[in-house]
Amino acid sequence: FTGWTGTTGCSGTGTCSFTMDADKAVSATFVKTYVLTISKPAHGTITRVDNTGAAVTGAGALACASTDSGDCTKTYDTATAIKLKVVPDSTWRFDAWGDACTGEPTTTCSFSLAGDTTVSATFVKTYVLTITKAEHVSIATTSINATPTAGIDCAASASGTCTYTYDTATALVLTATADDTYRFTGWTGTTGCSGTGTCSFTMDADKAVSATFVKTYVLTISKPAHGTITRVDNTGAAVTGAGALA
């Protein structure tokens, strides 16, 4: 009900009171209404906002959060302009709109209400990978199955730590490359990686990784004119393997 018209002098949407002191005419006007339903978001908040992005206040306000007990509904007049914005909870990422907003590419969804309407959204759990920067060692991804797809490039010149956020179940493969005159000696952290090869793991929790290194120097033996110089161990036997020199 939107109001009174006629010769009674009534207006507004309250009751219409008058005295019959002449012929009178009265009528009432109405507008069609529809229900907007926001399916309770599992891991975020969906809010009706204005064109500036600020939450609508007053009678037209509508917000539905993961902490609510169930779906959220509001009745609006036909043709009401609706703009919704989704914000994920901490450690979650907004993935996609559903129902009436399916296909919207951003975190907002706008439409004119022309019938009972339902809107929903889905979210993805995310975890943080923290790489503690080690001087003289750069850490990068050799392959990545990730969303977002940004790769890792934590260079030796970086300061402090490098952090990256990935969806749950993202598979990562890390490599460590030492600067000149340094040698990579192994992985440490919570990824389960060890040794000096690549570091492969799945993001099923927040993870931390770092690389260790050792300074290297070059030993040069000037060619002896009439003899042999050999590296030996403490028993006098020639050193074999990667450390051999003769």
Side-chain angles (χ1 to χ4, degrees), residues 97-148:
W97 290 103
D99 296 301
C101 287
T102 297
E104 288 293 327
T106 69
T107 56
T108 59
C109 173
S110 301
F111 54 91
S112 179
L113 206 60
D116 292 337
T117 301
T118 298
V119 171
S120 60
T122 55
F123 304 84
V124 175
K125 177 65 177 171
T126 61
Y127 294 108
V128 175
L129 172 64
T130 300
I131 299 175
T132 301
K133 191 270 299 188
E135 293 181 355
H136 311 296
V137 174
S138 296
I139 298 175
T141 50
T142 55
S143 62
I144 185 170
N145 172 24
T147 303

Coordinates of all heavy atoms in Angstrom, one line a residue, residues 97-148:
W97 N 29.7 -15.8 -7.6 CA 28.3 -15.6 -7.3 C 27.5 -16.8 -7.8 O 27.9 -17.5 -8.8 CB 27.8 -14.4 -8.0 CG 28.3 -13.1 -7.5 CD1 29.3 -12.3 -8.1 CD2 27.9 -12.4 -6.3 NE1 29.5 -11.1 -7.3 CE2 28.7 -11.2 -6.3 CE3 27.0 -12.6 -5.3 CZ2 28.5 -10.3 -5.2 CZ3 26.8 -11.7 -4.3 CH2 27.6 -10.6 -4.2
G98 N 26.3 -17.0 -7.2 CA 25.4 -18.0 -7.6 C 24.0 -17.5 -7.8 O 23.7 -16.4 -7.5
D99 N 23.1 -18.3 -8.3 CA 21.7 -18.0 -8.5 C 21.6 -16.8 -9.4 O 22.2 -16.7 -10.5 CB 21.0 -17.8 -7.2 CG 21.0 -19.1 -6.4 OD1 20.4 -20.1 -6.9 OD2 21.5 -19.2 -5.3
A100 N 20.9 -15.7 -9.0 CA 20.6 -14.6 -9.8 C 21.8 -13.8 -10.2 O 21.8 -13.1 -11.2 CB 19.6 -13.6 -9.1
C101 N 22.9 -14.0 -9.5 CA 24.1 -13.2 -9.8 C 25.2 -14.1 -10.5 O 26.3 -13.6 -10.7 CB 24.7 -12.6 -8.5 SG 23.8 -11.2 -7.9
T102 N 24.8 -15.3 -10.9 CA 25.8 -16.2 -11.6 C 26.4 -15.5 -12.8 O 25.8 -14.9 -13.6 CB 25.1 -17.5 -12.0 OG1 24.5 -18.2 -10.9 CG2 26.0 -18.4 -12.8
G103 N 27.8 -15.6 -12.8 CA 28.5 -15.0 -13.9 C 29.0 -13.6 -13.7 O 29.9 -13.2 -14.5
E104 N 28.6 -13.0 -12.6 CA 29.2 -11.6 -12.4 C 30.6 -11.8 -12.1 O 31.0 -12.6 -11.2 CB 28.4 -11.0 -11.2 CG 27.0 -10.5 -11.5 CD 27.0 -9.4 -12.5 OE1 27.9 -8.6 -12.5 OE2 26.0 -9.3 -13.3
P105 N 31.5 -11.0 -12.7 CA 32.9 -11.2 -12.6 C 33.6 -10.5 -11.4 O 34.8 -10.8 -11.2 CB 33.4 -10.6 -13.9 CG 32.5 -9.5 -14.2 CD 31.1 -10.0 -13.7
T106 N 32.9 -9.6 -10.7 CA 33.6 -8.9 -9.6 C 32.9 -9.2 -8.3 O 31.9 -10.0 -8.2 CB 33.5 -7.4 -9.9 OG1 32.1 -6.9 -9.8 CG2 34.0 -7.1 -11.3
T107 N 33.3 -8.5 -7.2 CA 32.7 -8.8 -5.9 C 31.4 -8.0 -5.7 O 30.8 -8.1 -4.6 CB 33.7 -8.3 -4.8 OG1 34.0 -6.9 -5.0 CG2 34.9 -9.2 -4.8
T108 N 30.9 -7.3 -6.8 CA 29.6 -6.7 -6.7 C 28.6 -7.3 -7.7 O 29.1 -7.7 -8.8 CB 29.7 -5.1 -6.9 OG1 30.2 -4.9 -8.2 CG2 30.5 -4.5 -5.8
C109 N 27.3 -7.2 -7.4 CA 26.3 -7.7 -8.3 C 25.1 -6.7 -8.3 O 24.6 -6.4 -7.2 CB 25.9 -9.1 -7.9 SG 24.4 -9.7 -8.9
S110 N 24.7 -6.2 -9.5 CA 23.7 -5.2 -9.6 C 22.5 -5.7 -10.4 O 22.8 -6.3 -11.5 CB 24.2 -3.9 -10.1 OG 25.2 -3.4 -9.3
F111 N 21.3 -5.4 -10.0 CA 20.1 -5.8 -10.8 C 18.9 -5.0 -10.4 O 18.9 -4.4 -9.3 CB 19.9 -7.3 -10.7 CG 19.7 -7.8 -9.3 CD1 18.5 -7.9 -8.7 CD2 20.8 -8.3 -8.6 CE1 18.3 -8.4 -7.4 CE2 20.7 -8.7 -7.3 CZ 19.5 -8.8 -6.7
S112 N 17.9 -5.0 -11.2 CA 16.6 -4.4 -10.9 C 15.6 -5.5 -10.5 O 15.5 -6.5 -11.2 CB 16.0 -3.6 -12.0 OG 14.8 -3.0 -11.7
L113 N 15.0 -5.4 -9.3 CA 14.1 -6.5 -8.8 C 12.8 -6.6 -9.6 O 12.0 -5.7 -9.7 CB 13.8 -6.2 -7.3 CG 13.5 -7.4 -6.5 CD1 14.7 -8.3 -6.4 CD2 13.1 -7.0 -5.1
A114 N 12.7 -7.7 -10.3 CA 11.5 -7.9 -11.2 C 10.8 -9.2 -10.8 O 9.9 -9.6 -11.5 CB 11.9 -8.0 -12.6
G115 N 11.1 -9.8 -9.7 CA 10.5 -11.0 -9.2 C 11.2 -11.5 -7.9 O 12.2 -10.9 -7.5
D116 N 10.6 -12.5 -7.2 CA 11.3 -13.0 -6.1 C 12.7 -13.5 -6.5 O 12.8 -14.2 -7.6 CB 10.5 -14.2 -5.5 CG 9.2 -13.7 -4.8 OD1 9.1 -12.5 -4.5 OD2 8.3 -14.5 -4.7
T117 N 13.7 -13.2 -5.8 CA 15.1 -13.4 -6.3 C 15.9 -14.0 -5.2 O 15.8 -13.5 -4.0 CB 15.7 -12.1 -6.8 OG1 14.9 -11.5 -7.8 CG2 17.1 -12.3 -7.3
T118 N 16.8 -14.9 -5.5 CA 17.7 -15.5 -4.6 C 19.1 -15.3 -5.1 O 19.4 -15.4 -6.3 CB 17.5 -17.0 -4.4 OG1 16.2 -17.2 -3.9 CG2 18.5 -17.6 -3.5
V119 N 20.0 -14.9 -4.2 CA 21.5 -14.7 -4.5 C 22.3 -15.5 -3.5 O 22.0 -15.6 -2.3 CB 21.8 -13.2 -4.4 CG1 23.3 -13.0 -4.5 CG2 21.1 -12.4 -5.4
S120 N 23.4 -16.1 -4.1 CA 24.3 -16.8 -3.2 C 25.7 -16.6 -3.6 O 26.0 -16.0 -4.7 CB 24.0 -18.3 -3.3 OG 24.1 -18.8 -4.6
A121 N 26.7 -17.0 -2.8 CA 28.1 -16.9 -3.2 C 28.9 -18.1 -2.6 O 28.5 -18.7 -1.6 CB 28.7 -15.6 -2.6
T122 N 30.0 -18.4 -3.3 CA 30.8 -19.5 -2.8 C 32.2 -19.0 -2.5 O 32.6 -17.9 -3.0 CB 30.9 -20.6 -3.8 OG1 31.4 -20.1 -5.1 CG2 29.6 -21.3 -4.0
F123 N 32.9 -19.7 -1.6 CA 34.2 -19.2 -1.2 C 35.2 -20.4 -1.1 O 34.8 -21.6 -1.1 CB 34.1 -18.7 0.3 CG 33.1 -17.5 0.4 CD1 31.7 -17.8 0.6 CD2 33.5 -16.2 0.3 CE1 30.8 -16.8 0.6 CE2 32.6 -15.2 0.4 CZ 31.2 -15.5 0.6
V124 N 36.5 -20.1 -1.1 CA 37.6 -21.0 -1.1 C 38.5 -20.8 0.0 O 38.9 -19.6 0.3 CB 38.4 -21.0 -2.5 CG1 39.5 -22.0 -2.4 CG2 37.5 -21.4 -3.6
K125 N 38.9 -21.8 0.8 CA 39.8 -21.7 1.9 C 41.2 -21.3 1.3 O 41.6 -21.9 0.3 CB 39.9 -23.0 2.7 CG 40.9 -23.0 3.8 CD 40.5 -22.0 4.9 CE 41.5 -22.1 6.1 NZ 41.3 -21.0 7.1
T126 N 41.9 -20.4 2.0 CA 43.3 -20.1 1.6 C 44.2 -20.2 2.7 O 43.9 -20.2 3.9 CB 43.3 -18.6 1.1 OG1 43.0 -17.7 2.2 CG2 42.4 -18.4 -0.1
Y127 N 45.5 -20.5 2.3 CA 46.6 -20.6 3.3 C 47.7 -19.7 2.9 O 47.9 -19.4 1.7 CB 47.0 -22.1 3.4 CG 46.0 -23.0 4.0 CD1 45.3 -23.9 3.1 CD2 45.6 -22.9 5.3 CE1 44.4 -24.8 3.7 CE2 44.7 -23.8 5.8 CZ 44.1 -24.7 5.0 OH 43.1 -25.5 5.5
V128 N 48.6 -19.4 3.8 CA 49.7 -18.5 3.6 C 51.0 -19.3 3.6 O 51.3 -20.0 4.5 CB 49.8 -17.3 4.6 CG1 51.0 -16.5 4.4 CG2 48.5 -16.5 4.5
L129 N 51.8 -19.1 2.5 CA 53.2 -19.6 2.5 C 54.1 -18.5 2.8 O 54.1 -17.4 2.2 CB 53.5 -20.2 1.1 CG 54.9 -20.6 0.9 CD1 55.3 -21.7 1.8 CD2 55.2 -20.9 -0.6
T130 N 54.9 -18.7 3.9 CA 55.9 -17.7 4.3 C 57.3 -18.2 4.0 O 57.7 -19.3 4.4 CB 55.8 -17.3 5.8 OG1 54.5 -16.8 6.0 CG2 56.8 -16.3 6.2
I131 N 58.1 -17.4 3.2 CA 59.4 -17.8 2.8 C 60.3 -16.8 3.6 O 60.3 -15.6 3.4 CB 59.7 -17.7 1.3 CG1 58.8 -18.7 0.6 CG2 61.2 -18.0 1.0 CD1 58.9 -18.6 -0.9
T132 N 61.1 -17.4 4.5 CA 62.1 -16.5 5.2 C 63.3 -16.3 4.3 O 63.9 -17.2 3.8 CB 62.6 -17.2 6.5 OG1 61.4 -17.4 7.3 CG2 63.5 -16.3 7.3
K133 N 63.5 -15.0 4.0 CA 64.6 -14.6 3.1 C 65.9 -15.0 3.6 O 66.3 -14.6 4.7 CB 64.5 -13.2 2.8 CG 65.3 -12.7 1.6 CD 66.7 -12.3 1.9 CE 66.8 -11.2 2.9 NZ 68.2 -10.7 3.1
A134 N 66.7 -15.8 2.9 CA 68.0 -16.2 3.2 C 69.0 -15.4 2.3 O 68.8 -15.5 1.1 CB 68.3 -17.7 3.1
E135 N 69.9 -14.7 2.9 CA 70.9 -14.0 2.0 C 71.6 -15.0 1.1 O 71.9 -16.1 1.5 CB 71.9 -13.2 2.9 CG 71.3 -12.1 3.7 CD 72.3 -11.4 4.5 OE1 73.5 -11.9 4.5 OE2 72.0 -10.4 5.2
H136 N 71.8 -14.5 -0.1 CA 72.5 -15.3 -1.1 C 71.8 -16.5 -1.7 O 72.4 -17.3 -2.4 CB 73.9 -15.7 -0.6 CG 74.6 -14.6 0.1 ND1 75.1 -13.5 -0.5 CD2 75.0 -14.4 1.4 CE1 75.7 -12.7 0.3 NE2 75.6 -13.2 1.5
V137 N 70.5 -16.6 -1.4 CA 69.7 -17.7 -2.0 C 68.4 -17.2 -2.5 O 67.7 -16.5 -1.8 CB 69.5 -18.9 -1.0 CG1 68.5 -19.9 -1.6 CG2 70.8 -19.5 -0.6
S138 N 68.0 -17.4 -3.7 CA 66.8 -17.1 -4.3 C 65.9 -18.3 -4.4 O 66.3 -19.4 -4.7 CB 66.9 -16.5 -5.7 OG 67.7 -15.3 -5.6
I139 N 64.6 -18.1 -4.1 CA 63.6 -19.2 -4.1 C 62.5 -18.9 -5.1 O 62.0 -17.8 -5.1 CB 63.0 -19.5 -2.7 CG1 64.1 -19.9 -1.7 CG2 62.0 -20.6 -2.8 CD1 63.6 -20.1 -0.3
A140 N 62.2 -19.8 -6.0 CA 61.2 -19.6 -7.0 C 60.5 -20.9 -7.3 O 60.9 -21.9 -6.9 CB 61.9 -19.0 -8.3
T141 N 59.3 -20.7 -8.0 CA 58.6 -21.9 -8.4 C 59.0 -22.4 -9.8 O 59.2 -21.6 -10.7 CB 57.1 -21.6 -8.4 OG1 56.9 -20.4 -9.2 CG2 56.5 -21.4 -7.1
T142 N 59.2 -23.7 -9.9 CA 59.4 -24.3 -11.2 C 58.1 -24.7 -11.9 O 58.0 -24.8 -13.1 CB 60.4 -25.4 -11.1 OG1 59.8 -26.4 -10.2 CG2 61.7 -25.0 -10.6
S143 N 57.2 -25.0 -11.0 CA 55.8 -25.4 -11.6 C 54.8 -25.0 -10.5 O 55.1 -25.1 -9.3 CB 55.7 -26.9 -11.9 OG 55.9 -27.7 -10.8
I144 N 53.6 -24.7 -10.9 CA 52.6 -24.3 -9.9 C 51.2 -24.6 -10.4 O 50.9 -24.5 -11.6 CB 52.8 -22.8 -9.7 CG1 51.8 -22.3 -8.6 CG2 52.5 -22.0 -10.9 CD1 52.1 -20.9 -8.1
N145 N 50.4 -25.1 -9.6 CA 49.0 -25.4 -9.8 C 48.2 -24.6 -8.8 O 47.9 -25.0 -7.7 CB 48.7 -26.9 -9.7 CG 47.2 -27.1 -9.8 OD1 46.5 -26.3 -10.4 ND2 46.7 -28.2 -9.3
A146 N 48.0 -23.3 -9.1 CA 47.5 -22.4 -8.1 C 46.5 -21.5 -8.6 O 46.4 -21.1 -9.8 CB 48.7 -21.6 -7.6
T147 N 45.6 -21.0 -7.6 CA 44.7 -20.0 -7.8 C 44.7 -19.1 -6.6 O 44.3 -19.6 -5.5 CB 43.2 -20.5 -8.1 OG1 43.2 -21.4 -9.1 CG2 42.3 -19.4 -8.3
P148 N 45.1 -17.8 -6.7 CA 45.5 -17.1 -7.8 C 46.8 -17.8 -8.4 O 47.5 -18.5 -7.7 CB 45.8 -15.7 -7.3 CG 45.1 -15.6 -6.0 CD 45.0 -17.0 -5.4

